[in-house]
Amino acid sequence: MARINEHYAKLPASYLFPEIGRRVRAYQAAHSDANVIRLGIGDVTEPLAPAIVEAMHAAVEEMGKRETFRGYGPEQGYDFLVEAIRQHDYAARGVDIAADEIFVSDGSKCDSGNVQEIFASAARIAITDPVYPVYVDSNVMAGRTGAAGSDGRYSGLVYLVGNEANGFQPDPPAETVDIVYLCSPNNPTGTVATRAQLERWVAWAREKEAVILFDAAYEGYISDPALPRSIYEIPGAKECALELRSFSKRAGFTGVRCAFMVVPKAVTGVDPSGKRVSLNALWARRHTTKFNGASYIVQRGAAAAYSTAGLAQTNAQIAFYMENARLLREGLTAAGFTIYGGVHAPYLWIRTTGGATSWQFFDQLLEKAQVVGTPGAGFGPAGEGYFRLSAFNSRANIEEAIARIRKAFG
Ligand code: MLT
């Protein structure tokens, strides 16, 4: 008999978004004429930018000719993409990242789920709460937690509660941890860490010799030049932080799949003998063993997102989504909702009304307005009483959703 990984039994039966999908399908099956507007999972709706499409077409042509065909590429990513990342994402902001510190992948969800593998089973993990569920679930699967308690918290994890009082930006933990996951701009709350807050995190990590796993998948949505887009804009971060970046929300790649992780060589952990080991070497070993590189066609598309035309076109898409966010924020605030986020992120974090739990509010919104959002409790116990709306949709659907919500709850 094959023995299974018993830690999976600690997880809820489904991951958050498939569970929402299941509930929406059940609603639609019972209401076949309902025109449901989906502001749940943060999935882009604008088509790929023309510069990206053009580059991917050209790459397909190359792959179709003997002289330019390519098989396996470099596991860490093609030079043309790695150089574009180095220049545009880092050098342009005064940060020097070496080519071999960048690992191109097929998505930040995979990277954020996989990265825990290079740390000890006994590593103590801190997460913010509410939080992107992948950070928690991947550590549950790896056996770093006990069971979830009646409060929804897994024993063994350190929860850093984000709430209205701290602007959903909790402080570093008092207790000792090995690793903390941070996400800014934040999924799910849509709030963003200031430079001073990131400085505090970096100072804490250096003092405690902890590692920060910094998820910057939404950095493209930051419009205030004073806000850091990368943790490496904070001096000292290259000794204590890994950074995750994605083309999904930056360039509309949710269905194309391309991302990267930065693992500076100066970030170290300790082995059981106390010897310092570079996380870069561990991640390189893991990446080259378990991954054969993102496809050439996809990487050509990603590189085109950095061309002059690609940047202009993808920035226009981001501006479009952020105008959606502004309309949602203003329209729903005027209807009496209390709203956070949505200024430097495509997510709005809304306090539920009438004392509804977040799943009750999910049902009410679906029943009364045929609008789908994401219950805050799905992001952790501290998300209870909140609800997330995504700004990814057509302008017509956003306007219709605002009108329906106002009518149903106004
Ligand atoms: C979300 O809605 O939280 C994201 O789209 C999920 C993801 O990026 O995996």
Side-chain angles (χ1 to χ4, degrees), residues 15 17 40-43 109 132 134 187 218 249 347 379 388:
Y15 183 62
F17 292 108
I41 190 166
D43 194 3
K109 184 177 190 177
Y132 181 43
V134 173
N187 180 11
Y218 297 90
K249 316 292 157 85
Y347 296 128
F379 297 103
R388 193 192 77 176

Side-chain angles (χ1 to χ4, degrees), residues 96-185:
D96 180 30
I97 298 290
D100 58 359
E101 294 177 319
I102 294 170
F103 296 79
V104 174
S105 75
D106 59 351
S108 275
K109 184 177 190 177
C110 321
D111 287 342
S112 61
N114 291 331
V115 65
Q116 48 75 29
E117 273 186 37
I118 62 170
F119 297 98
S121 311
R124 196 159 164 80
I125 311 290
I127 49 120
T128 55
D129 176 19
V131 74
Y132 181 43
V134 173
Y135 314 153
V136 174
D137 289 8
S138 57
N139 279 290
V140 173
M141 290 169 173
R144 289 199 185 84
T145 74
S150 55
D151 59 357
R153 292 178 167 204
Y154 289 99
S155 60
L157 279 189
V158 174
Y159 288 77
L160 309 173
V161 172
N163 52 30
E164 295 185 17
N166 61 23
F168 301 97
Q169 295 291 333
D171 285 336
E175 59 264 74
T176 302
V177 301
D178 297 76
I179 296 151
V180 64
Y181 290 80
L182 297 180
C183 178
S184 181

